Amino acid sequence: MMVKGVIKLLILSACSSGIAAFSRNPWTLCRDASQATTSLFATRRQAVSVMFHSASIANLLTLPQPSNAGEIGARITDAVTTSDLGVSVRRSIVQGAQTMDKIDKRWELFSDKYGLGAERSKQGSRPKPKIIPPLLPVNAAVATQILSVSDEIFCQLTKVSPSTLQSEIKTVQELVKPSFQRSGLEMGNRNGPVPLETGSQFDFASYVRFRVYNSFLIKNEVDFRAFQNDFEKKCGQRMLALLDPTFINEREGQNGDFSSKLEFVIRQNLREVETLTQTLYDNGLVAASEISPLDSEQLEDWVDDTSDLQITLSLDGDVTMQAQILLQEQGYNLIPSYSKYMIKQLILQRLPDKQQVMIEEYYMDTDYNSDPDLYEVKEVLLNIVLPSR
């Protein structure tokens, strides 16, 4: 009833305005209308804006509102949401949006391929794909020892018994094995242990172990930050000794003047990092690596303790890359970044005790492609920062 009353009031108001208008001189009416139009709608945008707001107000006045629509509103809602026509219209709208998205994606790929558009024409040529060599066969003895070191240090820091840990590892392995088999991973005998003969099998074994580690940490409410620092430090040192005992050197004490030899030390440590990456390659743990050159000015500022020192190191085809990504996607924070553990300890060698090193991993596709469906992680990029002291 209220809606009908409002409509009648609007109609009477319009009729009254029309009668009043036509009772005046027609030439005066035309002149006034022209002036009003010029002043009110100086631009087309203003005119459209006024029309839009007028239509919105009319809709608010005439359409039933949820609060007072009653039976009429309920019928309208039911017709839109549950009727065959309403469902069909809504489905068509969704399908239309999906079709437009596909068309837009194809046009974007086409434009990207041929460099169409003003902004693309300003850019340089597309970077060439980075050629990543295949991984060498994994050194099974080294891979087995790396897993054993991880288990030993985990039990040492958490007081979980080795038998309990191994039992849980076996349980989780049997639980997730079918999923990895469907993805093409060779598991050996159906009921036997998974062999460590390939990089993929080592990646799988690392995933299982670190998933178990994370579960124990959550279950036992371990202080993760403190545990992570100790675990990565001890693992890094032990794994360095495993690959080459000459890598291990004691850190200098914090008493003494290091400013005169800091530059020499950090350059030497980075050379040892390059030697380590070659050792990782030889054992089938990475496919290739590249470290950024030191910025002389930044290095000088870091030695003077006025700036941070930043280095990037790319590890192409890291053998445990898939395990790292999958664990993080599942919400776990402790991941099998064995290379990072060792690199951090090498960089810290012979530096003052108060010197810190922060390393963050970024997972990169080394081939440029505007199609997200073709995105494939091929590289772990380590961003290494040595803060000023």
Side-chain angles (χ1 to χ4, degrees):
M1 294 297 293
M2 185 182 74
V3 174
K4 292 181 179 180
V6 171
I7 295 174
K8 289 180 178 179
L9 180 61
L10 290 173
I11 293 173
L12 290 174
S13 176
C15 292
S16 300
S17 300
I19 294 171
F22 281 105
S23 64
R24 298 167 58 191
N25 188 312
W27 296 107
T28 303
L29 179 62
C30 292
R31 184 191 62 212
D32 292 345
S34 176
Q35 291 176 350
T37 303
T38 302
S39 60
L40 286 176
F41 308 133
T43 65
R44 181 173 56 187
R45 182 173 296 178
Q46 290 176 341
V48 172
S49 177
V50 172
M51 292 170 62
F52 174 78
H53 287 298
S54 300
S56 300
I57 294 172
N59 287 334
L60 289 174
L61 290 173
T62 58
L63 291 179
Q65 301 299 311
S67 59
N68 55 19
E71 184 180 354
I72 297 176
R75 290 181 179 179
I76 293 175
T77 302
D78 184 65
V80 172
T81 57
T82 62
S83 69
D84 293 341
L85 178 60
V87 171
S88 176
V89 170
R90 294 167 66 193
R91 183 181 292 114
S92 299
I93 292 173
V94 172
Q95 292 175 344
Q98 292 173 340
T99 301
M100 293 305 298
D101 284 343
K102 292 179 180 178
I103 294 174
D104 183 66
K105 177 181 176 181
R106 290 181 179 276
W107 176 253
E108 179 67 20
L109 295 176
F110 178 81
S111 301
D112 192 59
K113 181 177 179 180
Y114 294 101
L116 304 180
E119 293 302 321
R120 287 187 179 88
S121 63
K122 299 176 184 177
Q123 299 174 359
S125 59
R126 179 183 299 185
K128 295 181 179 179
K130 184 176 182 179
I131 305 301
I132 299 177
L135 277 166
L136 294 179
V138 69
N139 186 325
V142 170
T144 302
Q145 289 178 300
I146 286 176
L147 296 177
S148 298
V149 166
S150 301
D151 290 348
E152 179 184 338
I153 293 175
F154 179 82
C155 292
Q156 176 187 341
L157 294 177
T158 60
K159 309 304 180 185
V160 174
S161 68
S163 59
T164 302
L165 177 63
Q166 294 304 318
S167 175
E168 188 64 22
I169 287 174
K170 184 177 180 180
T171 300
V172 173
Q173 179 174 287
E174 293 303 315
L175 175 66
V176 301
K177 184 189 292 186
S179 298
F180 283 80
Q181 285 178 318
R182 286 193 293 270
S183 66
L185 179 63
E186 178 58 45
M187 294 291 187
N189 296 329
R190 172 175 294 183
N191 298 322
V194 178
L196 281 179
E197 299 173 350
T198 66
S200 297
Q201 290 170 346
F202 178 54
D203 183 51
F204 170 73
S206 298
Y207 166 77
V208 171
R209 271 172 170 74
F210 277 75
R211 176 167 166 170
V212 172
Y213 295 168
N214 281 281
S215 298
F216 273 117
L217 293 176
I218 296 171
K219 179 181 178 180
N220 298 337
E221 298 182 349
V222 175
D223 182 352
F224 179 76
R225 186 176 295 276
F227 169 84
Q228 184 182 32
N229 291 335
D230 291 342
F231 180 80
E232 293 185 357
K233 177 181 178 180
K234 292 180 181 296
C235 282
Q237 293 172 344
R238 290 280 301 277
M239 292 173 188
L240 281 173
L242 170 65
L243 292 177
D244 187 346
T246 62
F247 281 134
I248 296 299
N249 290 285
E250 294 296 328
R251 292 185 67 182
E252 298 281 2
Q254 57 184 348
N255 297 322
D257 180 18
F258 290 92
S259 58
S260 60
K261 58 179 181 179
L262 273 177
E263 181 176 348
F264 170 79
V265 169
I266 193 63
R267 288 188 183 277
Q268 182 179 355
N269 288 355
L270 292 179
R271 283 194 294 270
E272 292 187 1
V273 168
E274 292 180 341
T275 303
L276 171 64
T277 56
Q278 180 61 44
T279 304
L280 296 173
Y281 169 77
D282 293 338
N283 286 278
L285 300 178
V286 298
S289 62
E290 183 179 0
I291 190 169
S292 63
L294 279 174
D295 184 289
S296 300
E297 184 176 346
Q298 190 183 71
L299 177 59
E300 182 179 348
D301 291 340
W302 176 76
V303 170
D304 295 336
D305 201 16
T306 60
S307 174
D308 297 344
L309 181 62
Q310 183 171 351
I311 308 159
T312 58
L313 173 61
S314 62
L315 300 175
D316 299 327
D318 189 325
V319 70
T320 61
M321 185 165 52
Q322 298 304 321
Q324 296 173 35
I325 295 172
L326 182 56
L327 286 165
Q328 291 182 87
E329 288 178 347
Q330 294 174 339
Y332 297 120
N333 295 318
L334 188 68
I335 58 176
S337 301
Y338 306 124
S339 300
K340 185 189 81 170
Y341 301 167
M342 293 182 271
I343 288 168
K344 183 174 182 179
Q345 296 310 308
L346 268 187
I347 292 176
L348 283 171
Q349 287 189 120
R350 296 178 296 272
L351 290 177
D353 288 343
K354 62 181 179 180
Q355 180 64 61
Q356 297 180 341
V357 174
M358 298 180 294
I359 303 180
E360 293 185 355
E361 302 106 324
Y362 297 91
Y363 299 92
M364 314 291 290
D365 185 348
T366 55
D367 296 342
Y368 173 81
N369 200 305
S370 58
D371 187 352
D373 294 336
L374 300 179
Y375 180 82
E376 180 184 1
V377 175
K378 303 183 184 72
E379 176 182 278
V380 180
L381 183 66
L382 300 181
N383 183 48
I384 306 168
V385 178
L386 286 76
S388 58
R389 300 165 304 285

